[in-house]
Amino acid sequence: MIYPWEVAVVNAEPSESTGLKGLQEKLFQPVDIAWLVAFRIITGGLMFFEMVRYLAEGWLESYYINTPFHFKFFGFSWVQQLPYDWAMQGVFLLLIAASLGVTLGYRYRLSATIQFLGFTYLFLLDAAGYRNHWYLLCVLCFFLIFMPAHRAFSMDCSRIQGLKQDWCQRWMLWLIRVQLAIVYFFAGIAKLDRGWMSGDSIRVIFADEGHSQEMLNFLYQPAVTEFFVWSGMLFDLTIPFFLFWKRTRILAFFGAAAFHLTNGVFLVSVGIFPWFMLLAGTLYFDADWPRRLLARWGLASGAKIPIPTDVAPEKDDVPLERRWLVGLLSVYFIVQLLLPLRQHLYDGYTSWTHEGHRWSWRMKLVNKQVGKIEIFTFNPDSGDRIDLTRNYTNALVRWQQSIVAKQPDLLLQFTRDLGKKLEEKQGKRYPIHANVELSINGKPPAPLYDPTVDLSRVEWSLAKKDWLLPYPGK
Protein backbone atom coordinates (compact mmCIF):
# COMPACT_ATOMS: atom_id res chain seq x y z
CA MET A 1 0.00 0.00 0.00
CA ILE A 2 1.25 3.52 -0.81
CA TYR A 3 0.60 6.19 1.79
CA PRO A 4 0.13 9.83 0.73
CA TRP A 5 2.89 11.15 2.99
CA GLU A 6 5.41 8.78 1.52
CA VAL A 7 5.18 10.86 -1.66
CA ALA A 8 5.78 7.73 -3.66
CA VAL A 9 5.77 8.21 -7.40
CA VAL A 10 6.09 5.53 -10.05
CA ASN A 11 9.59 5.62 -11.56
CA ALA A 12 10.72 8.19 -8.94
CA GLU A 13 14.42 8.78 -8.57
CA PRO A 14 16.02 6.36 -6.09
CA SER A 15 17.77 9.22 -4.29
CA GLU A 16 14.43 10.82 -3.36
CA SER A 17 13.06 7.58 -1.96
CA THR A 18 16.29 6.97 -0.06
CA GLY A 19 16.14 10.51 1.33
CA LEU A 20 12.60 10.10 2.66
CA LYS A 21 13.42 6.69 4.08
CA GLY A 22 16.57 8.08 5.64
CA LEU A 23 14.60 10.89 7.27
CA GLN A 24 12.15 8.41 8.75
CA GLU A 25 15.01 6.29 10.07
CA LYS A 26 16.54 9.33 11.75
CA LEU A 27 13.24 10.23 13.38
CA PHE A 28 13.07 6.79 14.99
CA GLN A 29 16.72 6.62 16.03
CA PRO A 30 17.28 6.32 19.79
CA VAL A 31 18.59 9.34 21.71
CA ASP A 32 19.35 9.81 25.39
CA ILE A 33 16.12 9.87 27.43
CA ALA A 34 17.51 12.46 29.85
CA TRP A 35 15.87 15.36 27.99
CA LEU A 36 12.46 13.68 28.24
CA VAL A 37 12.84 13.14 31.98
CA ALA A 38 13.68 16.83 32.37
CA PHE A 39 10.68 17.80 30.24
CA ARG A 40 8.42 15.58 32.37
CA ILE A 41 9.64 17.24 35.57
CA ILE A 42 9.40 20.77 34.11
CA THR A 43 5.87 20.30 32.78
CA GLY A 44 4.51 18.34 35.73
CA GLY A 45 6.18 20.65 38.25
CA LEU A 46 4.82 23.84 36.71
CA MET A 47 1.37 22.29 36.35
CA PHE A 48 1.48 21.35 40.03
CA PHE A 49 2.50 24.91 40.93
CA GLU A 50 -0.25 26.44 38.75
CA MET A 51 -3.02 24.35 40.30
CA VAL A 52 -1.83 25.01 43.86
CA ARG A 53 -1.63 28.72 43.05
CA TYR A 54 -5.22 28.73 41.78
CA LEU A 55 -6.42 27.13 45.00
CA ALA A 56 -4.37 29.45 47.20
CA GLU A 57 -5.53 32.60 45.40
CA GLY A 58 -9.19 31.58 45.48
CA TRP A 59 -9.34 31.48 41.69
CA LEU A 60 -11.08 28.11 41.72
CA GLU A 61 -14.14 29.83 43.14
CA SER A 62 -13.97 33.02 41.06
CA TYR A 63 -13.28 31.31 37.73
CA TYR A 64 -15.07 27.98 37.98
CA ILE A 65 -17.54 27.75 40.87
CA ASN A 66 -19.05 31.20 41.42
CA THR A 67 -19.65 31.76 37.70
CA PRO A 68 -23.31 31.11 36.79
CA PHE A 69 -22.67 31.50 33.05
CA HIS A 70 -19.81 29.70 31.30
CA PHE A 71 -18.98 30.59 27.70
CA LYS A 72 -18.15 27.87 25.19
CA PHE A 73 -15.67 27.32 22.42
CA PHE A 74 -17.30 26.51 19.11
CA GLY A 75 -17.84 22.75 18.96
CA PHE A 76 -17.39 22.27 22.71
CA SER A 77 -20.77 23.30 24.09
CA TRP A 78 -21.05 19.84 25.65
CA VAL A 79 -18.35 20.72 28.21
CA GLN A 80 -20.32 21.70 31.31
CA GLN A 81 -19.54 22.66 34.88
CA LEU A 82 -19.94 19.83 37.37
CA PRO A 83 -23.14 20.27 39.41
CA TYR A 84 -21.53 20.35 42.87
CA ASP A 85 -18.87 22.64 44.33
CA TRP A 86 -17.11 19.69 45.92
CA ALA A 87 -16.86 18.04 42.49
CA MET A 88 -15.04 21.05 41.01
CA GLN A 89 -12.77 21.14 44.05
CA GLY A 90 -12.16 17.45 43.51
CA VAL A 91 -11.06 18.12 39.92
CA PHE A 92 -8.41 20.52 41.18
CA LEU A 93 -7.22 18.16 43.89
CA LEU A 94 -7.07 15.32 41.38
CA LEU A 95 -5.10 17.54 39.01
CA ILE A 96 -2.64 18.43 41.78
CA ALA A 97 -2.14 14.75 42.58
CA ALA A 98 -1.79 13.84 38.88
CA SER A 99 0.73 16.61 38.23
CA LEU A 100 2.76 15.49 41.21
CA GLY A 101 2.55 11.92 39.88
CA VAL A 102 3.86 13.08 36.49
CA THR A 103 6.69 15.02 38.13
CA LEU A 104 7.78 12.03 40.22
CA GLY A 105 7.04 9.48 37.53
CA TYR A 106 4.58 7.60 39.74
CA ARG A 107 1.93 5.55 37.92
CA TYR A 108 2.95 7.77 35.07
CA ARG A 109 0.57 6.77 32.30
CA LEU A 110 -2.45 7.15 34.57
CA SER A 111 -1.14 10.40 36.05
CA ALA A 112 -0.37 11.87 32.61
CA THR A 113 -3.82 10.92 31.29
CA ILE A 114 -5.61 12.47 34.27
CA GLN A 115 -3.43 15.56 34.02
CA PHE A 116 -4.34 16.04 30.36
CA LEU A 117 -8.07 15.33 30.77
CA GLY A 118 -8.44 17.44 33.91
CA PHE A 119 -6.50 20.42 32.66
CA THR A 120 -8.14 20.35 29.24
CA TYR A 121 -11.55 20.19 30.92
CA LEU A 122 -10.78 23.38 32.88
CA PHE A 123 -9.44 25.05 29.76
CA LEU A 124 -12.54 24.22 27.69
CA LEU A 125 -15.00 25.03 30.46
CA ASP A 126 -15.04 28.79 29.85
CA ALA A 127 -13.87 30.43 26.62
CA ALA A 128 -13.82 33.80 28.38
CA GLY A 129 -10.76 32.58 30.28
CA TYR A 130 -8.81 31.58 27.14
CA ARG A 131 -5.05 31.76 27.65
CA ASN A 132 -2.46 30.85 25.05
CA HIS A 133 -0.17 29.18 27.55
CA TRP A 134 -3.00 26.97 28.83
CA TYR A 135 -3.69 25.91 25.25
CA LEU A 136 0.01 25.07 24.83
CA LEU A 137 0.07 23.09 28.08
CA CYS A 138 -3.00 21.10 27.00
CA VAL A 139 -1.17 20.10 23.81
CA LEU A 140 2.05 19.19 25.61
CA CYS A 141 0.22 17.23 28.31
CA PHE A 142 -1.42 15.21 25.55
CA PHE A 143 1.99 14.42 24.05
CA LEU A 144 3.31 13.28 27.42
CA ILE A 145 0.71 10.53 27.65
CA PHE A 146 2.38 8.66 24.78
CA MET A 147 6.00 9.36 25.65
CA PRO A 148 8.05 6.99 27.86
CA ALA A 149 9.05 9.76 30.25
CA HIS A 150 8.82 7.37 33.23
CA ARG A 151 11.47 4.95 31.98
CA ALA A 152 14.26 6.77 33.85
CA PHE A 153 14.58 8.68 37.13
CA SER A 154 11.05 7.80 38.23
CA MET A 155 9.24 6.03 41.02
CA ASP A 156 7.83 3.64 38.42
CA CYS A 157 11.35 2.42 37.65
CA SER A 158 11.73 1.47 41.31
CA ARG A 159 8.52 -0.50 41.46
CA ILE A 160 8.35 -2.05 37.96
CA GLN A 161 11.11 -4.47 37.09
CA GLY A 162 12.55 -4.08 33.60
CA LEU A 163 10.96 -0.68 32.97
CA LYS A 164 14.19 1.33 33.02
CA GLN A 165 15.43 2.46 29.63
CA ASP A 166 18.12 5.00 28.82
CA TRP A 167 16.79 6.07 25.45
CA CYS A 168 13.72 7.32 23.62
CA GLN A 169 13.21 8.02 19.95
CA ARG A 170 14.32 11.20 18.26
CA TRP A 171 10.88 12.13 16.87
CA MET A 172 9.65 12.83 20.39
CA LEU A 173 12.32 15.46 20.94
CA TRP A 174 11.65 17.10 17.59
CA LEU A 175 7.91 17.07 18.18
CA ILE A 176 8.36 19.30 21.23
CA ARG A 177 11.03 21.45 19.60
CA VAL A 178 8.95 22.18 16.51
CA GLN A 179 5.82 22.86 18.58
CA LEU A 180 7.67 25.46 20.65
CA ALA A 181 9.16 26.96 17.49
CA ILE A 182 5.66 27.38 16.04
CA VAL A 183 4.58 29.26 19.17
CA TYR A 184 7.54 31.62 18.93
CA PHE A 185 7.33 32.20 15.19
CA PHE A 186 3.62 32.95 14.98
CA ALA A 187 3.84 35.15 18.07
CA GLY A 188 6.39 37.15 16.06
CA ILE A 189 4.18 37.23 12.97
CA ALA A 190 1.32 38.48 15.15
CA LYS A 191 3.49 41.36 16.41
CA LEU A 192 3.42 42.84 12.91
CA ASP A 193 0.03 44.09 14.11
CA ARG A 194 -0.37 47.83 13.56
CA GLY A 195 -1.00 48.40 17.26
CA TRP A 196 2.23 46.68 18.28
CA MET A 197 4.48 48.19 15.63
CA SER A 198 3.26 51.72 16.35
CA GLY A 199 4.32 51.33 19.98
CA ASP A 200 0.81 52.16 21.20
CA SER A 201 0.19 48.64 22.53
CA ILE A 202 3.32 48.33 24.58
CA ARG A 203 2.92 51.78 26.11
CA VAL A 204 -0.58 50.88 27.33
CA ILE A 205 0.68 47.49 28.54
CA PHE A 206 3.41 49.22 30.55
CA ALA A 207 0.83 51.51 32.14
CA ASP A 208 -1.46 48.60 33.05
CA GLU A 209 1.31 46.70 34.86
CA GLY A 210 1.45 49.21 37.72
CA HIS A 211 4.98 50.52 37.20
CA SER A 212 6.02 53.64 39.07
CA GLN A 213 5.80 57.01 37.30
CA GLU A 214 9.59 57.25 37.21
CA MET A 215 9.81 53.87 35.49
CA LEU A 216 7.02 54.79 33.06
CA ASN A 217 8.84 58.00 32.17
CA PHE A 218 11.85 55.86 31.24
CA LEU A 219 9.82 53.25 29.33
CA TYR A 220 7.90 55.93 27.44
CA GLN A 221 11.05 57.41 25.93
CA PRO A 222 10.79 56.88 22.16
CA ALA A 223 14.09 55.01 21.91
CA VAL A 224 13.17 52.66 24.76
CA THR A 225 9.69 51.98 23.37
CA GLU A 226 11.12 51.31 19.91
CA PHE A 227 13.64 48.91 21.43
CA PHE A 228 10.93 46.82 23.08
CA VAL A 229 8.72 46.91 19.97
CA TRP A 230 11.40 45.73 17.57
CA SER A 231 13.27 43.42 19.92
CA GLY A 232 10.04 41.67 20.93
CA MET A 233 9.00 41.12 17.32
CA LEU A 234 12.44 40.08 16.05
CA PHE A 235 13.07 37.84 19.05
CA ASP A 236 9.93 35.79 18.46
CA LEU A 237 10.51 35.55 14.72
CA THR A 238 14.15 34.46 14.88
CA ILE A 239 14.82 32.74 18.20
CA PRO A 240 13.67 29.25 17.05
CA PHE A 241 16.18 29.27 14.20
CA PHE A 242 19.03 30.43 16.44
CA LEU A 243 18.13 27.69 18.93
CA PHE A 244 18.07 25.07 16.20
CA TRP A 245 21.51 26.11 14.91
CA LYS A 246 24.24 24.63 17.10
CA ARG A 247 26.68 27.51 16.55
CA THR A 248 24.27 30.10 17.98
CA ARG A 249 22.40 27.86 20.42
CA ILE A 250 24.13 28.88 23.67
CA LEU A 251 23.95 32.59 22.90
CA ALA A 252 20.32 32.22 21.81
CA PHE A 253 19.41 30.33 24.98
CA PHE A 254 20.82 33.03 27.25
CA GLY A 255 19.13 35.67 25.11
CA ALA A 256 15.83 33.82 25.48
CA ALA A 257 16.41 33.48 29.21
CA ALA A 258 16.95 37.23 29.52
CA PHE A 259 13.81 37.89 27.45
CA HIS A 260 11.59 35.60 29.52
CA LEU A 261 13.02 36.77 32.85
CA THR A 262 12.37 40.37 31.85
CA ASN A 263 8.77 39.49 31.01
CA GLY A 264 8.19 37.25 34.02
CA VAL A 265 9.72 39.49 36.67
CA PHE A 266 9.37 43.00 35.37
CA LEU A 267 7.33 43.88 32.30
CA VAL A 268 4.07 41.97 31.92
CA SER A 269 1.86 39.54 33.81
CA VAL A 270 1.55 36.33 31.79
CA GLY A 271 1.42 33.69 34.52
CA ILE A 272 3.77 30.73 34.28
CA PHE A 273 4.30 31.13 30.52
CA PRO A 274 7.71 32.89 30.61
CA TRP A 275 9.02 30.44 33.21
CA PHE A 276 7.89 27.45 31.18
CA MET A 277 9.39 28.80 27.95
CA LEU A 278 12.62 29.62 29.73
CA LEU A 279 13.02 26.07 31.05
CA ALA A 280 11.74 24.48 27.82
CA GLY A 281 14.49 26.29 25.93
CA THR A 282 16.90 23.68 27.30
CA LEU A 283 15.28 21.10 25.02
CA TYR A 284 17.14 22.58 22.06
CA PHE A 285 20.43 21.34 23.49
CA ASP A 286 21.69 17.80 22.88
CA ALA A 287 19.42 15.13 24.35
CA ASP A 288 21.88 14.26 27.14
CA TRP A 289 22.17 17.82 28.49
CA PRO A 290 20.70 16.96 31.93
CA ARG A 291 23.31 14.25 32.49
CA ARG A 292 26.15 16.56 31.49
CA LEU A 293 24.79 19.35 33.66
CA LEU A 294 24.45 17.08 36.71
CA ALA A 295 27.96 15.74 36.10
CA ARG A 296 29.34 19.29 36.00
CA TRP A 297 27.65 19.99 39.34
CA GLY A 298 29.12 16.78 40.80
CA LEU A 299 25.70 15.12 41.11
CA ALA A 300 26.32 12.41 38.52
CA SER A 301 29.28 10.32 37.44
CA GLY A 302 29.46 11.73 33.95
CA ALA A 303 29.98 8.27 32.51
CA LYS A 304 28.79 7.93 28.93
CA ILE A 305 25.45 6.11 28.71
CA PRO A 306 25.42 3.55 25.89
CA ILE A 307 22.60 4.34 23.46
CA PRO A 308 21.73 1.83 20.72
CA THR A 309 22.17 3.02 17.17
CA ASP A 310 18.87 1.56 16.02
CA VAL A 311 15.75 -0.03 17.46
CA ALA A 312 13.38 -2.55 15.95
CA PRO A 313 9.83 -1.31 15.18
CA GLU A 314 8.32 -3.83 17.62
CA LYS A 315 10.09 -1.97 20.45
CA ASP A 316 8.55 1.41 19.60
CA ASP A 317 6.76 3.02 22.53
CA VAL A 318 3.85 4.11 20.36
CA PRO A 319 2.12 0.95 19.05
CA LEU A 320 1.54 2.34 15.58
CA GLU A 321 3.15 1.54 12.27
CA ARG A 322 5.91 4.06 11.72
CA ARG A 323 4.53 5.28 8.40
CA TRP A 324 1.19 6.01 10.03
CA LEU A 325 2.82 7.82 12.92
CA VAL A 326 4.84 10.04 10.58
CA GLY A 327 1.64 10.70 8.65
CA LEU A 328 -0.28 11.71 11.77
CA LEU A 329 2.51 14.01 12.90
CA SER A 330 2.62 15.59 9.44
CA VAL A 331 -1.12 16.26 9.50
CA TYR A 332 -0.85 17.67 13.02
CA PHE A 333 1.83 20.17 12.04
CA ILE A 334 -0.05 21.18 8.91
CA VAL A 335 -3.02 22.04 11.14
CA GLN A 336 -0.75 23.93 13.53
CA LEU A 337 0.61 25.98 10.64
CA LEU A 338 -2.79 26.69 9.13
CA LEU A 339 -4.69 27.64 12.30
CA PRO A 340 -2.79 30.92 12.85
CA LEU A 341 -3.27 31.83 9.19
CA ARG A 342 -7.05 31.44 9.16
CA GLN A 343 -7.46 35.07 10.29
CA HIS A 344 -6.76 36.04 6.67
CA LEU A 345 -10.00 34.34 5.65
CA TYR A 346 -11.86 37.17 7.38
CA ASP A 347 -12.03 40.80 6.35
CA GLY A 348 -11.25 43.44 8.91
CA TYR A 349 -8.73 44.04 11.66
CA THR A 350 -8.28 40.85 13.70
CA SER A 351 -7.52 42.68 16.94
CA TRP A 352 -10.87 44.48 16.53
CA THR A 353 -13.17 41.68 15.32
CA HIS A 354 -11.44 38.84 17.21
CA GLU A 355 -12.07 36.56 14.22
CA GLY A 356 -9.22 34.07 13.93
CA HIS A 357 -7.66 35.32 17.16
CA ARG A 358 -7.68 32.16 19.26
CA TRP A 359 -5.36 29.19 18.67
CA SER A 360 -3.01 31.57 16.81
CA TRP A 361 -0.45 32.57 19.46
CA ARG A 362 -1.54 36.22 19.39
CA MET A 363 -0.28 37.48 22.75
CA LYS A 364 -0.32 40.95 24.32
CA LEU A 365 -0.85 42.71 20.99
CA VAL A 366 -3.35 45.42 21.90
CA ASN A 367 -5.13 46.79 24.92
CA LYS A 368 -8.91 46.87 24.51
CA GLN A 369 -11.13 48.77 26.93
CA VAL A 370 -14.91 48.89 27.05
CA GLY A 371 -16.12 52.48 26.85
CA LYS A 372 -19.83 51.73 26.90
CA ILE A 373 -22.06 48.68 26.95
CA GLU A 374 -25.81 48.70 26.47
CA ILE A 375 -27.95 45.61 26.05
CA PHE A 376 -31.53 46.41 25.13
CA THR A 377 -34.73 45.09 23.58
CA PHE A 378 -38.04 46.40 22.32
CA ASN A 379 -41.46 45.49 23.60
CA PRO A 380 -42.99 43.37 20.82
CA ASP A 381 -46.42 44.97 21.43
CA SER A 382 -45.69 48.66 22.09
CA GLY A 383 -42.25 48.98 20.49
CA ASP A 384 -40.90 50.68 23.62
CA ARG A 385 -37.19 50.26 24.24
CA ILE A 386 -36.32 48.25 27.36
CA ASP A 387 -32.84 48.41 28.87
CA LEU A 388 -31.35 44.99 29.69
CA THR A 389 -27.85 46.06 30.67
CA ARG A 390 -28.51 45.07 34.26
CA ASN A 391 -29.27 41.53 33.10
CA TYR A 392 -25.76 41.48 31.64
CA THR A 393 -24.01 42.73 34.77
CA ASN A 394 -26.08 40.51 37.06
CA ALA A 395 -25.56 37.34 35.02
CA LEU A 396 -21.80 37.66 34.62
CA VAL A 397 -19.10 37.93 37.26
CA ARG A 398 -16.86 40.98 37.16
CA TRP A 399 -13.90 39.38 35.35
CA GLN A 400 -16.20 38.13 32.59
CA GLN A 401 -18.02 41.39 31.91
CA SER A 402 -15.31 43.32 30.06
CA ILE A 403 -13.95 40.22 28.31
CA VAL A 404 -17.33 39.15 26.92
CA ALA A 405 -18.16 42.61 25.58
CA LYS A 406 -14.88 42.63 23.62
CA GLN A 407 -15.24 39.18 22.05
CA PRO A 408 -18.17 38.92 19.60
CA ASP A 409 -18.70 35.14 19.79
CA LEU A 410 -19.01 35.37 23.58
CA LEU A 411 -21.45 38.28 23.52
CA LEU A 412 -23.47 36.40 20.91
CA GLN A 413 -23.76 33.42 23.25
CA PHE A 414 -25.03 35.68 26.02
CA THR A 415 -27.59 37.50 23.86
CA ARG A 416 -28.92 34.27 22.37
CA ASP A 417 -29.31 32.82 25.87
CA LEU A 418 -30.97 36.01 27.13
CA GLY A 419 -33.43 36.04 24.22
CA LYS A 420 -34.32 32.41 24.85
CA LYS A 421 -34.93 33.02 28.56
CA LEU A 422 -37.09 36.10 27.89
CA GLU A 423 -39.21 34.17 25.41
CA GLU A 424 -39.67 31.30 27.88
CA LYS A 425 -40.63 33.73 30.66
CA GLN A 426 -42.84 36.15 28.70
CA GLY A 427 -44.21 33.80 26.06
CA LYS A 428 -43.11 36.24 23.34
CA ARG A 429 -39.96 36.66 21.30
CA TYR A 430 -37.93 39.71 22.29
CA PRO A 431 -35.16 41.01 20.00
CA ILE A 432 -31.81 41.51 21.72
CA HIS A 433 -29.54 44.35 20.60
CA ALA A 434 -26.13 45.54 21.80
CA ASN A 435 -24.44 48.91 21.65
CA VAL A 436 -20.85 48.41 22.76
CA GLU A 437 -18.04 50.91 22.29
CA LEU A 438 -14.45 49.77 22.49
CA SER A 439 -11.18 51.62 22.67
CA ILE A 440 -7.95 50.10 21.34
CA ASN A 441 -4.71 51.35 22.87
CA GLY A 442 -6.32 54.45 24.33
CA LYS A 443 -7.87 55.61 21.06
CA PRO A 444 -11.38 57.16 21.12
CA PRO A 445 -14.08 54.51 21.68
CA ALA A 446 -16.00 53.28 18.66
CA PRO A 447 -18.97 50.92 18.26
CA LEU A 448 -18.13 47.27 17.56
CA TYR A 449 -21.62 45.79 17.06
CA ASP A 450 -24.34 46.94 14.70
CA PRO A 451 -27.05 48.05 17.19
CA THR A 452 -29.82 47.42 14.63
CA VAL A 453 -29.13 43.68 14.45
CA ASP A 454 -31.17 41.30 16.61
CA LEU A 455 -28.35 39.19 18.03
CA SER A 456 -30.74 36.61 19.46
CA ARG A 457 -31.52 35.52 15.88
CA VAL A 458 -27.90 35.34 14.69
CA GLU A 459 -26.61 31.81 14.23
CA TRP A 460 -23.40 30.95 16.06
CA SER A 461 -20.92 29.78 13.44
CA LEU A 462 -17.38 30.25 12.17
CA ALA A 463 -18.57 32.35 9.24
CA LYS A 464 -17.69 36.03 8.90
CA LYS A 465 -19.65 38.15 11.35
CA ASP A 466 -21.36 40.72 9.16
CA TRP A 467 -23.05 42.20 12.23
CA LEU A 468 -19.75 43.76 13.33
CA LEU A 469 -18.85 47.32 12.41
CA PRO A 470 -15.45 48.02 10.81
CA TYR A 471 -12.54 49.35 12.83
CA PRO A 472 -12.46 53.13 12.41
CA GLY A 473 -8.71 53.45 12.92
CA LYS A 474 -6.18 53.40 10.12
Side-chain angles (χ1 to χ4, degrees):
M1 179 181 293
I2 295 175
Y3 296 87
W5 49 85
E6 290 182 301
V7 199
V9 181
V10 178
N11 297 323
E13 293 294 327
S15 59
E16 291 182 329
S17 177
T18 302
L20 290 171
K21 184 178 180 181
L23 176 60
Q24 179 172 297
E25 289 175 353
K26 283 190 174 182
L27 287 174
F28 287 90
Q29 279 179 346
V31 297
D32 197 313
I33 202 173
W35 77 269
L36 184 54
V37 173
F39 180 63
R40 184 198 82 211
I41 294 171
I42 290 169
T43 306
L46 284 176
M47 287 282 291
F48 176 82
F49 171 79
E50 184 82 331
M51 294 301 99
V52 170
R53 184 169 72 111
Y54 262 66
L55 282 180
E57 297 285 350
W59 294 339
L60 165 59
E61 287 77 17
S62 59
Y63 280 95
Y64 298 106
I65 293 180
N66 300 329
T67 45
F69 195 104
H70 285 293
F71 295 87
K72 305 305 176 186
F73 294 101
F74 187 82
F76 290 93
S77 298
W78 51 271
V79 180
Q80 299 292 328
Q81 179 179 339
L82 297 179
Y84 304 105
D85 292 356
W86 61 263
M88 292 302 299
Q89 292 164 351
V91 170
F92 263 76
L93 294 176
L94 191 60
L95 256 176
I96 289 172
S99 298
L100 185 60
V102 169
T103 306
L104 299 176
Y106 178 70
R107 300 192 181 276
Y108 171 75
R109 298 290 189 189
L110 177 62
S111 295
T113 302
I114 293 173
Q115 179 180 254
F116 164 71
L117 292 176
F119 192 69
T120 303
Y121 166 71
L122 293 178
F123 173 71
L124 294 175
L125 187 56
D126 200 324
Y130 174 86
R131 303 167 188 83
N132 279 290
H133 65 278
W134 274 44
Y135 166 39
L136 175 62
L137 285 171
C138 287
V139 170
L140 297 178
C141 287
F142 178 73
F143 293 160
L144 276 173
I145 295 174
F146 304 98
M147 294 183 175
H150 61 316
R151 285 183 173 268
F153 199 69
S154 71
M155 293 179 68
D156 282 351
C157 282
S158 301
R159 67 185 191 85
I160 303 176
Q161 188 175 3
L163 180 67
K164 190 175 186 305
Q165 180 175 287
D166 292 320
W167 55 269
C168 64
Q169 290 171 315
R170 191 188 303 273
W171 68 264
M172 300 177 185
L173 176 57
W174 278 92
L175 174 62
I176 305 300
R177 284 175 172 176
V178 175
Q179 179 64 70
L180 296 178
I182 287 173
V183 174
Y184 274 125
F185 183 74
F186 280 106
I189 292 292
K191 283 185 173 65
L192 297 173
D193 182 278
R194 67 186 79 171
W196 179 270
M197 296 305 297
S198 69
D200 292 339
S201 298
I202 201 159
R203 280 189 287 266
V204 176
I205 290 170
F206 287 154
D208 284 350
E209 292 299 320
H211 297 300
S212 66
Q213 189 59 51
E214 292 77 11
M215 180 56 66
L216 288 177
N217 291 337
F218 169 73
L219 295 172
Y220 285 168
Q221 294 182 49
V224 176
T225 301
E226 285 294 303
F227 169 78
F228 281 109
V229 167
W230 283 93
S231 64
M233 184 267 291
L234 292 174
F235 170 84
D236 283 336
L237 279 176
T238 62
I239 196 64
F241 305 102
F242 288 127
L243 287 170
F244 280 131
W245 193 21
K246 197 165 188 175
R247 291 185 179 181
T248 56
R249 187 173 296 154
I250 293 178
L251 183 61
F253 173 77
F254 283 108
F259 177 85
H260 291 304
L261 283 172
T262 301
N263 280 336
V265 175
F266 173 63
L267 284 182
V268 294
S269 302
V270 281
I272 63 172
F273 180 71
W275 306 103
F276 174 80
M277 295 300 281
L278 188 157
L279 294 172
T282 58
L283 303 181
Y284 289 90
F285 290 106
D286 291 341
D288 65 344
W289 71 263
R291 296 190 199 275
R292 290 186 284 112
L293 184 63
L294 291 175
R296 180 169 294 184
W297 290 345
L299 300 175
S301 65
K304 192 71 174 177
I305 302 297
I307 304 296
T309 57
D310 197 8
V311 60
E314 56 267 20
K315 291 187 177 181
D316 290 350
D317 279 288
V318 177
L320 192 65
E321 189 175 343
R322 289 181 175 183
R323 296 183 289 185
W324 282 105
L325 180 57
V326 172
L328 286 175
L329 293 177
S330 300
V331 171
Y332 170 76
F333 280 123
I334 289 171
V335 172
Q336 281 291 304
L337 292 173
L338 292 179
L339 274 177
L341 299 176
R342 77 190 191 284
Q343 62 179 290
H344 300 292
L345 299 175
Y346 302 98
D347 296 330
Y349 181 30
T350 303
S351 293
W352 176 253
T353 66
H354 214 73
E355 294 175 302
H357 174 86
R358 299 191 193 102
W359 328 107
S360 301
W361 315 114
R362 298 172 57 84
M363 296 175 272
K364 292 286 185 180
L365 296 180
V366 298
N367 179 280
K368 294 165 74 172
Q369 297 294 331
V370 179
K372 177 174 73 174
I373 177 167
E374 295 176 345
I375 308 295
F376 59 93
T377 187
F378 295 96
N379 188 303
D381 297 325
S382 66
D384 294 339
R385 172 169 164 156
I386 304 171
D387 183 59
L388 299 175
T389 307
R390 182 169 293 183
N391 295 68
Y392 179 84
T393 55
N394 289 342
L396 306 183
V397 296
R398 184 173 297 275
W399 71 267
Q400 289 177 317
Q401 291 173 19
S402 63
I403 292 176
V404 172
K406 294 181 286 191
Q407 299 186 20
D409 64 320
L410 304 187
L411 187 68
L412 181 64
Q413 291 179 51
F414 174 79
T415 53
R416 283 168 54 87
D417 182 76
L418 180 58
K420 181 180 178 181
K421 289 178 177 176
L422 276 177
E423 184 175 4
E424 290 174 352
K425 183 177 181 179
Q426 302 295 336
K428 300 176 183 178
R429 188 170 189 118
Y430 283 74
I432 308 296
H433 301 264
N435 182 19
V436 177
E437 293 185 354
L438 297 185
S439 167
I440 286 187
N441 295 332
K443 298 292 192 295
L448 173 59
Y449 305 96
D450 185 344
T452 66
V453 174
D454 176 6
L455 295 179
S456 68
R457 292 180 177 268
V458 174
E459 289 297 322
W460 182 23
S461 73
L462 298 178
K464 174 179 168 53
K465 300 174 177 62
D466 54 9
W467 37 276
L468 300 180
L469 299 177
Y471 179 59
K474 296 181 179 179

